[in-house]
Amino acid sequence: MLNFLFQRIITYWQKLFIFKFANQRRSISIVPIKFTGTFITGLCLSLLFAACTANNASNITSANNSTQSKASVVRIGYQKSAILLKSKGLLEKRLQPEGVSVEWNEFPAGPQLLEAMNVGSIDFGHTGESPPIFAQAADAAITYIAGIIPSPANSAILVPKNSDIKTVNDLKGKKIAFQKGSSAHYLLVQILEKNGLKYSDIQPIYLPPADARAAFVKGSIDAWSIWDPFYAAAEKSADARVLIDGTGVNKQGGYYLASRKFANQQPEIIKAILEEIQNTEQWSDKNRNEVAATLSPILGIDLETMQTSTNRRKFGIRPITQELITLQQEVADKFYELKLIPKAIDVKEAMLTPAQYAAFAPKNP
């Protein structure tokens, strides 16, 4: 085998010399050369070294070519509960000098937003704690960017005002609507278990917020697990009564997420986005009445309802920490236990490296 390799190398160099001089119409005769073992070994090592060097150079060139320049547009997915950044136009002002425009896309809930992210329609967005679990279980190429400060009181289980349902235990056997894979889904799971009920004790009705509200008003469901501002609007105009809210149960406020490709290639844009989000959140916490007045006409919700929603919300973002990872793993394990996702997942596989987080992580509030 070794002799065969040596012969192939010799033949290669012979052909190389013939080709090089053929175009110059020179005749060349190949004289058999007696190669010693030392020469052949050296020749082989030289060729192998040259090949490795060429491959490494090729890999480096490929890596350099794959390094993307700053994106010219960032596509952000949002929900009605987080529209203030868009309405103020601060991110556009921040990115415009760098030649980056912002494209906004509205979604009814987190699962639809992450589905769009997975197929490459958006680059960045936020959801509650549950949608990333379902997305990761479906092998979506998403990653966690930052955490959102929890607002336990801004989500609840609602029932009609004249309902016979007075306690959580009365939900047994009842039809409860919610967006599958949303924060409202996990809220319901937690509240049921805290009160000694199983998920199998209720009849889940999977509906996005708008359809769930219609079903609630029509009376075709018994209860509705939902978040603000839909929650506040239902209290005001859909004869809804709060059975229980997320106080003492909801420990997570959700997450900002990005496609893995965008996170790897555009850390500077992500840093700018998070800084503008944090600035907006800090301003909002100190100017709640103005927040409500700004959002009321945009969302088509009366000012009083918008004030209710705004006043029970906590503002702020936080870095991804081991505590958040542990909490998120509990969510994943629970949904797998209930057979609501097809496989067990490790949430750390959807996290970035510490160095990547350090490049853009928001400071603790």
Side-chain angles (χ1 to χ4, degrees):
M1 182 66 183
L2 190 59
N3 288 334
F4 174 76
L5 176 60
F6 292 160
Q7 187 58 47
R8 295 286 291 180
I9 292 171
I10 293 168
T11 302
Y12 169 79
W13 282 101
Q14 288 175 341
K15 290 181 178 180
L16 181 63
F17 280 115
I18 291 171
F19 176 79
K20 181 176 180 180
F21 290 99
N23 292 335
Q24 299 180 20
R25 299 181 180 277
R26 295 180 182 179
S27 61
I28 182 168
S29 60
I30 303 300
V31 180
I33 303 174
K34 185 177 181 180
F35 293 98
T36 65
T38 302
F39 176 82
I40 292 175
T41 301
L43 180 60
C44 288
L45 290 175
S46 297
L47 290 173
L48 289 172
F49 176 76
C52 290
T53 302
N55 285 339
N56 287 340
S58 176
N59 289 339
I60 292 172
T61 301
S62 176
N64 288 338
N65 288 340
S66 66
T67 301
Q68 301 294 316
S69 59
K70 184 173 290 185
S72 60
V73 61
V74 54
R75 301 164 301 170
I76 299 179
Y78 70 97
Q79 301 174 58
K80 287 185 181 297
S81 56
I83 197 176
L84 192 62
L85 183 65
K86 175 181 181 295
S87 67
K88 294 180 74 66
L90 298 176
L91 187 58
E92 286 85 347
K93 293 178 182 177
R94 169 71 178 270
L95 294 176
Q96 185 178 20
E98 300 180 39
V100 181
S101 61
V102 183
E103 178 183 300
W104 297 90
N105 300 273
E106 182 178 340
F107 296 89
Q112 293 90 332
L113 187 153
L114 291 188
E115 182 179 350
M117 184 178 291
N118 184 44
V119 299
S121 297
I122 61 171
D123 306 305
F124 187 92
H126 96 279
T127 75
E129 78 291 302
S130 299
I133 301 300
F134 283 77
Q136 187 179 349
D139 299 320
I142 62 167
T143 190
Y144 294 82
I145 298 299
I148 299 173
I149 298 296
S151 301
N154 80 339
S155 57
I157 297 177
L158 307 177
V159 296
K161 282 186 178 180
N162 59 355
S163 173
D164 292 333
I165 299 174
K166 305 298 182 184
T167 69
V168 173
N169 287 324
D170 295 332
L171 292 174
K172 188 171 183 177
K174 297 297 192 291
K175 296 178 181 179
I176 307 177
F178 52 89
Q179 169 72 61
K180 184 178 182 180
S182 69
S183 59
H185 194 167
Y186 190 57
L187 174 69
L188 175 63
V189 168
Q190 289 178 295
I191 287 176
L192 291 174
E193 292 196 349
K194 186 176 181 180
N195 287 271
L197 293 179
K198 298 178 181 179
Y199 186 70
S200 58
D201 287 331
I202 59 101
Q203 298 181 52
I205 306 296
Y206 301 139
L207 294 172
D211 293 340
R213 178 188 169 93
F216 186 86
V217 171
K218 186 178 178 181
S220 56
I221 57 174
D222 301 301
W224 180 21
S225 183
I226 190 58
W227 59 88
D228 274 329
F230 304 103
Y231 161 23
E235 280 186 292
K236 178 70 180 296
S237 59
D239 290 328
R241 169 167 54 87
V242 179
L243 180 67
I244 186 171
D245 68 17
T247 302
V249 177
N250 189 355
K251 298 178 181 179
Q252 298 189 80
Y255 296 91
Y256 285 97
L257 301 109
S259 70
R260 186 166 287 276
K261 178 181 178 181
F262 189 80
N264 288 334
Q265 296 180 350
Q266 308 296 337
E268 293 182 5
I269 292 181
I270 290 178
K271 179 177 175 63
I273 293 172
L274 291 182
E275 287 177 353
E276 291 307 317
I277 289 173
Q278 190 166 49
N279 291 339
T280 300
E281 294 283 290
Q282 291 173 348
W283 177 87
S284 299
D285 190 44
K286 298 175 182 177
N287 299 274
R288 292 175 179 267
N289 288 338
E290 190 170 344
V291 170
T294 300
L295 296 182
S296 176
I298 294 174
L299 298 178
I301 297 175
D302 67 272
L303 181 58
E304 181 182 356
T305 299
M306 200 67 245
Q307 287 175 331
T308 298
S309 174
T310 303
N311 287 335
R312 59 189 173 206
R313 177 180 171 184
K314 294 185 181 297
F315 293 94
I317 58 176
R318 53 185 175 175
I320 300 295
T321 62
Q322 184 56 51
E323 179 186 4
L324 288 183
I325 294 173
T326 299
L327 286 172
Q328 193 67 347
Q329 188 62 53
E330 290 176 4
V331 180
D333 293 343
K334 176 55 64 177
F335 280 127
Y336 179 65
E337 176 189 325
L338 296 174
K339 295 181 172 52
L340 292 169
I341 56 176
K343 62 182 179 181
I345 63 170
D346 182 353
V347 298
K348 292 192 296 295
E349 294 179 357
M351 302 291 174
L352 298 174
T353 66
Q356 286 175 302
Y357 280 126
F360 55 68
K363 297 179 181 179
N364 282 308

